[in-house]
Amino acid sequence: MKRRAIVAANWKMNGGLELVKTMTTGLNNLDLAENVDVIICPSAPYLSAFEHDKLGKSIHLGAQNVSEHQKGAFTGEISTTMLQELSVEFVIIGHSERRSIFAESSKQAALKVKAALAAGITPILCIGESESERVEEQTEAVLSAQLQPVIDEIGIEKFNEIVIAYEPVWAIGTGKTASPEMAQATHCFIRQFLAKANSEIANKVPLLYGGSVNAANCEKLFAQADIDGGLIGGASLKVDEFKIICSAAKGT
Ligand code: 13P
């Protein structure tokens, strides 16, 4: 099964105009394999400053969050229409920091996925288990419970248009990466879970790994059969390191 590889940068609440500038210059001569897409997700105020359209068709702009509501009295929220106006093509939804710090539920994530799809913006749906859930062997139950509301909301056919990022919470920002074997086993489970609803679509969905990916570990992670790239936090703020990670991605 041919799948494009994706490397997405989640800057979280970091960086500013200076980073936008250095990243734009740095990605100008990026050495990318065929079938690889790079997505930069800066903080919302910088979306319009990132001139991704000058960097070639493999570099895309992504947002870190979006409202499930169309418009109205939702102070501080950003709508899909606003993202459309800024040529945003992707949006991260259900990141573990949104789930744990801002109490977003899987149902809310499902509604956001639906809103993004309706606006023609590709959702990057994040799922992942906590350390205690992993220790208690609840990983598969947790991932299933995070995926099912999205399947119920949009239908499995729409998974043709989304990207899934598996980010074990215990690996985010901790330097504790899942081993390539552990990450592969979990990605394989995610694909099998989706295959119960539709095996053809399950085979096509890009599955990204996130959690302490860096220049030293990316190659082995990206070499796994069911890992189609990465969602990168800390290492995506360092231009040279991020470029190494992008160059390690290989589409199949
Ligand atoms: P780190 O790469 O800093 O662990 O962050 C991963 C992440 O949360 C990306 O969304």
Side-chain angles (χ1 to χ4, degrees):
M1 172 59 59
K2 280 191 187 303
R3 288 189 296 266
R4 287 184 78 76
I6 295 172
V7 180
N10 177 8
W11 287 3
K12 310 192 178 184
M13 201 170 72
N14 297 297
L17 284 178
E18 192 56 40
L19 183 60
V20 167
K21 224 185 291 170
T22 48
M23 190 61 75
T24 315
T25 313
L27 296 184
N28 209 359
N29 56 358
L30 184 62
D31 186 19
L32 275 186
E34 249 181 80
N35 281 333
V36 179
D37 286 306
V38 171
I39 306 165
I40 308 291
C41 306
S43 289
Y46 303 110
L47 284 168
S48 56
F50 196 83
E51 297 181 283
H52 67 290
D53 48 339
K54 294 201 181 134
L55 292 174
K57 60 178 178 46
S58 302
I59 314 270
H60 308 267
L61 189 58
Q64 296 176 17
N65 187 22
V66 71
S67 173
E68 66 273 35
H69 303 289
Q70 286 294 302
K71 63 174 184 171
F74 299 102
T75 302
E77 291 291 279
I78 298 169
S79 72
T80 51
T81 315
M82 295 168 188
L83 296 184
Q84 272 176 325
E85 275 202 324
L86 299 180
S87 308
V88 169
E89 294 171 83
F90 292 82
V91 59
I92 298 171
I93 290 175
H95 191 279
S96 69
E97 287 147 20
R98 300 294 321 167
R99 292 176 191 263
S100 65
I101 305 170
F102 302 99
E104 282 188 11
S105 64
S106 293
K107 168 76 182 170
Q108 197 178 358
L111 293 172
K112 289 181 178 210
V113 167
K114 191 177 184 179
L117 286 173
I121 299 170
T122 304
I124 303 173
L125 172 68
C126 300
I127 56 173
E129 82 289 359
S130 67
E131 183 147 42
S132 60
E133 289 162 343
R134 164 74 58 179
V135 170
E136 287 159 23
E137 298 183 1
Q138 291 302 306
T139 300
E140 295 187 356
V142 169
L143 299 179
S144 308
Q146 290 172 336
L147 285 170
Q148 193 59 49
V150 185
I151 299 176
D152 294 343
E153 192 61 43
I154 64 169
I156 190 68
E157 287 73 23
K158 281 281 180 189
F159 276 65
N160 247 340
E161 298 169 38
I162 80 172
V163 175
I164 294 176
Y166 166 61
E167 298 203 304
V169 179
W170 48 270
I172 295 177
T174 58
K176 280 202 269 180
T177 324
S179 67
E181 296 74 22
M182 184 193 276
Q184 163 58 23
T186 312
H187 279 228
C188 183
F189 165 76
I190 295 166
R191 226 180 270 292
Q192 282 168 353
F193 179 80
L194 298 175
K196 283 193 261 172
N198 186 319
S199 58
E200 199 182 322
I201 286 176
N203 268 330
K204 284 190 196 153
V205 178
L207 295 184
L208 315 185
Y209 169 79
S212 297
V213 177
N214 58 37
N217 61 26
C218 59
E219 208 165 323
K220 281 205 176 118
L221 284 162
F222 294 170
Q224 303 302 310
D226 286 295
I227 299 183
D228 306 309
L231 180 54
I232 322 296
S236 75
L237 300 168
K238 301 169 208 153
V239 180
D240 291 339
E241 180 158 21
F242 185 62
K243 285 172 76 172
I244 293 172
I245 298 171
C246 291
S247 301
K250 309 249 179 303
T252 50

